[in-house]
Amino acid sequence: MQEFIDDDPGYLAWLAVHPNGFVLNTYRRPTSAYLVLHRTTCRSISLLPSGAFTWTKDYRKICGEREELESYARDAVGGDTRLCGQCL
């Protein structure tokens, strides 16, 4: 599992090397209110929306295997992941 904050180049490199991985998208300071699980190929976490300039400034990207990300959400943040409606 690897976390990215203020590190867009590292985040994009991780996505490129792990095409079958998962990304937990959460606020910069994770809360149980926002824990969204995506596949690394999901456009919503790999392409910037219009007007956005960064992936990892306001949001934290936690990358790894699905099971470890779901465990992190439960154990470290105290919440359950919500599955992305586009990729999962």
Side-chain angles (χ1 to χ4, degrees):
M1 191 168 74
Q2 189 166 354
E3 296 186 40
F4 296 94
I5 304 171
D6 295 327
D7 183 9
D8 284 356
Y11 172 64
L12 294 173
W14 193 94
L15 290 180
V17 174
H18 299 90
N20 296 317
F22 291 86
V23 175
L24 183 62
N25 192 41
T26 189
Y27 296 125
R28 188 175 180 90
R29 299 184 92 192
T31 71
S32 60
Y34 187 69
L35 297 163
V36 183
L37 188 65
H38 301 267
R39 293 182 184 276
T40 55
T41 56
C42 185
R43 295 173 59 93
S44 68
I45 52 96
S46 63
L47 295 174
L48 285 174
S50 178
F53 298 101
T54 181
W55 284 275
T56 61
K57 180 180 179 202
D58 297 324
Y59 293 90
R60 178 183 301 223
K61 304 293 194 249
I62 306 167
C63 305
E65 296 298 320
R66 182 174 179 164
E67 296 79 19
E68 68 184 340
L69 297 176
E70 289 172 337
S71 291
Y72 170 86
R74 270 191 317 276
D75 300 341
V77 184
D80 291 317
T81 59
R82 182 171 53 92
L83 302 181
C84 171
Q86 295 179 32
C87 66
L88 288 171

